[in-house]
C-alpha cells in the first residue's frame, strides 16, 4: 500500500547504501537510483548526499525519512491487521540463519511450518551468526536463528535448545581413542577452524581460554565458512575441528570420523531472535514461537535417539 518510492528511500537511508538497499529489496541498483530520483523530483530538493562511498541524509532527507518511517510502519500494521481477519497466516517472512542451522535444523522446521501454514512464503538468508544477528537488529530480517546465546536490548531472544560441540578427527588420528579432550591436549595439533564471526569459533576460543590456552597460540591450518568443508578437511587428515553434535549423525553411523567430547563440556545455544522495538506482525511472532517449540522437540528426540551412544544434545528446559 505504501508509496514504493518511500520504501526505497527508507531502505537506502536506513542502510546507508544503494547496493545494500537493492539487495534487501530484490531490485537492481539502477532501479533504486531511479526511485530516489523520482522522489527528489517530487519534492524538488535533494534528499541524499552521495560521496566517498557513503550515503547521508540532507536536512530535507531527515524530515522525509522520519515521516517515511511512520508511514511505512502504519502501512505494514494496517495490512497485517486486515490479513489477520481471515485468521489464516499468509505472506512472506524473511529469516536469517547460521550455516549449520540451515543445513541440519532448518529443512524440517520449514517443512513442518509450511504444512501448518501453506500460504506463508519463507525467504531464507544464510550467513554466520554475527551477521544474521546484526541484520535482525537493523530490521533487514524478520526473524533470526543463530548458534549463540544472546542478550541484546533491541532483540527479543529465546533460547530453544543447546547442542554439544565435539572434537572431530580422522579415525586413525592419535587422539581418536581419547575419552575426552582438554584445551591443553588439543593445543599441539593442527586446527581446522570456523571463519571469524561464526558462533562456533567464538565458543571454541572461549573453551581454549578457559583451559589456559591462548587462541592465538593455536596452529590454525584453515579458516572455513562451511561445516561440510571443515569435515572434509578433517577426513583428509588436515587436523582436528570442533563441530556440533547435530551435524555428526551421519559420521556416527558410518564411522568416517572419530567424535570426542571436550573437557569441560561445551555447548552452543540455538537462539531465536525477533526485533523487540517495533510493531511485530502475527506471522513473525507465530513463526518465532513455532521455531522455538520445534527446535526444542527436535533436540529432545535427538538426545533420546542417541542416548546410549553418548549424544549430548539437550533441551535447556528439561
Amino acid at each position: 500500500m505504501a508509496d514504493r518510492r518511500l520504501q526505497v528511500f527508507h531502505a537506502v537511508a536506513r542502510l546507508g547504501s544503494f547496493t545494500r538497499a537493492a539487495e534487501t529489496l530484490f531490485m537492481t541498483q539502477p532501479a533504486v537510483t531511479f526511485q530516489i530520483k523520482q522522489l527528489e523530483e517530487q519534492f524538488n530538493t535533494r534528499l541524499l548526499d552521495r560521496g566517498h562511498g557513503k550515503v547521508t541524509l540532507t536536512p530535507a532527507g531527515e524530515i522525509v525519512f522520519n515521516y517515511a518511517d511512520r508511514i511505512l510502519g502504519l502501512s505494514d500494521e494496517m495490512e497485517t491487521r486486515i490479513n489477520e481477519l481471515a485468521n489464516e497466516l499468509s505472506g512472506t517472512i524473511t529469516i536469517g540463519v547460521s550455516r549449520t542451522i540451515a543445513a541440519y535444523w532448518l529443512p524440517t522446521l520449514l517443512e513442518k511450518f509450511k504444512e501448518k501454514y501453506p500460504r506463508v512464503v519463507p525467504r531464507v538468508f544464510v550467513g554466520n551468526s554475527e551477521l544474521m544477528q546484526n541484520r535482525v537488529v537493523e530490521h533487514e530480517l524478520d526473524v533470526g536463528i543463530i548458534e549463540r546465546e544472546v542478550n541484546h536490548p533491541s532483540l527479543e531472544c529465546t533460547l530453544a535448545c543447546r547442542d554439544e560441540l565435539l572434537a572431530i578427527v580422522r579415525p586413525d588420528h592419535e587422539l581418536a581413542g581419547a575419552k575426552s579432550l582438554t584445551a591443553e591436549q588439543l593445543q599441539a595439533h593442527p586446527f581446522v577452524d570456523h571463519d571469524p564471526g561464526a558462533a562456533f569459533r567464538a565458543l571454541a576460543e572461549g573453551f581454549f581460554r578457559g583451559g589456559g590456552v591462548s587462541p592465538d597460540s593455536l596452529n590454525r591450518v584453515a579458516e572455513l565458512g562451511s561445516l561440510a568443508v571443515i569435515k572434509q578437511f578433517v577426513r583428509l587428515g588436515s587436523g582436528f575441528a570442533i563441530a556440533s553434535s547435530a551435524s555428526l549423525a551421519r559420521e556416527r553411523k558410518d564411522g568416517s570420523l572419530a567424535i570426542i567430547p571436550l573437557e569441560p563440556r561445551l555447548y552452543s545455544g540455538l537462539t531465536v531472535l525477533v526485533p523487540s522495538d517495533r510493531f511485530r506482525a502475527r506471522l513473525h511472532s507465530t513463526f518465532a514461537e513455532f521455531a522455538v517449540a520445534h527446535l526444542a522437540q527436535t533436540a529432545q528426540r535427538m538426545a533420546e535417539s542417541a542416548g546410549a551412544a553418548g549424544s549430548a544434545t539437550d533441551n535447556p528446559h528439561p
Side-chain angles (χ1 to χ4, degrees):
M1 290 291 293
D3 190 314
R4 183 61 168 170
R5 295 170 300 175
L6 280 183
Q7 292 176 330
V8 173
F9 168 76
H10 186 267
V12 172
R14 179 168 52 85
L15 300 172
S17 165
F18 279 75
T19 301
R20 291 183 65 195
E23 292 172 351
T24 301
L25 296 171
F26 296 93
M27 297 172 64
T28 65
Q29 192 165 327
V32 169
T33 301
F34 177 74
Q35 294 284 348
I36 297 299
K37 182 180 178 183
Q38 279 201 327
L39 193 62
E40 289 180 326
E41 288 176 352
Q42 177 179 331
F43 289 115
N44 196 29
T45 186
R46 193 174 71 255
L47 301 176
L48 298 169
D49 282 327
R50 312 157 179 82
H52 306 292
K54 186 177 181 181
V55 176
T56 57
L57 290 167
T58 65
E62 291 278 3
I63 295 172
V64 175
F65 178 79
N66 289 333
Y67 277 99
D69 195 52
R70 291 154 60 186
I71 291 168
L72 295 173
L74 287 170
S75 178
D76 288 345
E77 186 172 346
M78 177 182 66
E79 290 190 32
T80 298
R81 294 304 185 213
I82 294 298
N83 289 335
E84 287 175 356
L85 289 176
N87 202 31
E88 182 179 1
L89 287 182
S90 63
T92 300
I93 180 170
T94 56
I95 306 162
V97 298
S98 65
R99 298 182 184 100
T100 299
I101 290 173
Y104 301 101
W105 298 84
L106 189 66
T108 303
L109 167 59
L110 291 184
E111 178 190 12
K112 296 300 182 184
F113 189 78
K114 287 283 290 181
E115 285 177 4
K116 190 170 184 179
Y117 304 106
R119 295 183 61 195
V120 174
V121 179
R123 183 176 292 159
V124 178
F125 299 83
V126 180
N128 65 47
S129 290
E130 182 178 13
L131 174 61
M132 294 300 103
Q133 177 183 328
N134 291 339
R135 293 193 67 181
V136 177
V137 170
E138 295 297 324
H139 301 114
E140 296 177 30
L141 299 171
D142 300 321
V143 181
I145 310 176
I146 63 174
E147 296 157 304
R148 59 171 55 159
E149 297 181 39
V150 179
N151 181 16
H152 192 286
S154 297
L155 297 174
E156 183 179 305
C157 312
T158 305
L159 177 65
C161 60
R162 291 191 177 96
D163 191 12
E164 186 171 10
L165 301 188
L166 305 159
I168 54 173
V169 294
R170 275 172 60 109
D172 58 357
H173 193 281
E174 61 182 285
L175 296 176
K179 298 295 183 184
S180 63
L181 290 167
T182 65
E184 188 175 3
Q185 288 173 306
L186 290 169
Q187 181 181 17
H189 297 273
F191 181 27
V192 183
D193 203 358
H194 295 263
D195 61 317
F200 288 174
R201 182 179 178 119
L203 288 167
E205 288 182 349
F207 167 78
F208 284 108
R209 289 193 193 94
V213 174
S214 169
D216 293 335
S217 70
L218 297 171
N219 177 21
R220 288 188 174 94
V221 294
E223 298 177 348
L224 304 170
S226 164
L227 184 53
V229 177
I230 287 173
K231 290 194 288 186
Q232 185 61 20
F233 264 59
V234 173
R235 289 189 191 96
L236 294 173
S238 297
F240 78 92
I242 293 176
S244 71
S245 178
S247 71
L248 297 171
R250 179 179 298 177
E251 288 75 17
R252 283 194 181 90
K253 290 180 181 179
D254 64 21
S256 59
L257 290 174
I259 303 167
I260 309 153
L262 299 171
E263 182 58 44
R265 296 287 181 113
L266 181 64
Y267 298 87
S268 66
L270 273 66
T271 303
V272 179
L273 315 174
V274 289
S276 61
D277 58 352
R278 66 182 297 179
F279 163 78
R280 188 183 311 148
R282 184 163 68 98
L283 170 56
H284 305 165
S285 296
T286 300
F287 179 81
E289 292 165 6
F290 186 95
V292 169
H294 177 84
L295 292 172
Q297 291 166 5
T298 301
Q300 187 63 41
R301 287 196 299 270
M302 289 169 58
E304 291 171 356
S305 65
S311 171
T313 302
D314 74 326
N315 190 318
H317 310 294

